[in-house]
Amino acid sequence: MSTSLLVKTNGVPKDSHRDEICAEVVRLLVQERKRQKLSGNVLAEKAGLSQSLISSLETNPWNPTLDTLLRIGDVLKVDVGEIISQARKRILRDK
């Protein structure tokens, strides 16, 4: 990784594109949920998550936990690693 992409925050290197990549991961998962014609409520129920968490995540993307991503990925039957890879490639390609 190029050091020009890193910014130190409290002594910890931070990838300057991390927030954009996280938002793109969420966008791709929302796109897949809609493609499968699943409501946010159904996704939440099947994933064992609250509807308010799903709604909040989809409305204002934030950095979900790995557990949350895996639960959503399991319901949607998608490989979360592949979604992250796609998001990263798309964000870095556009830069």
Side-chain angles (χ1 to χ4, degrees):
M1 174 179 284
S2 169
T3 56
S4 65
L5 293 178
L6 295 178
V7 177
K8 289 221 176 203
T9 305
N10 296 327
V12 177
K14 179 182 180 199
D15 183 339
S16 64
H17 300 296
R18 184 174 31 217
D19 290 339
E20 293 173 87
I21 293 167
C22 289
E24 181 65 10
V25 166
V26 172
R27 189 193 71 75
L28 290 169
L29 291 171
V30 170
Q31 179 181 346
E32 181 60 22
R33 176 185 65 74
K34 290 179 177 179
R35 189 190 71 74
Q36 292 185 25
K37 298 180 177 28
L38 281 179
S39 71
N41 288 339
V42 170
L43 174 61
E45 183 179 322
K46 288 184 175 188
L49 301 167
S50 70
Q51 193 280 327
S52 63
L53 183 142
I54 297 296
S55 177
S56 171
L57 182 61
E58 291 186 359
T59 303
N60 186 21
W62 41 272
N63 300 342
T65 66
L66 180 57
D67 181 66
T68 297
L69 290 174
L70 291 172
R71 286 170 180 250
I72 292 170
D74 286 349
V75 172
L76 297 176
K77 295 181 177 37
V78 296
D79 181 337
V80 171
E82 181 59 31
I83 294 288
I84 293 169
S85 179
Q86 286 176 21
R88 185 174 183 79
K89 286 177 187 172
R90 184 168 293 148
I91 294 302
L92 296 179
R93 177 191 69 213
D94 293 344
K95 297 295 170 193

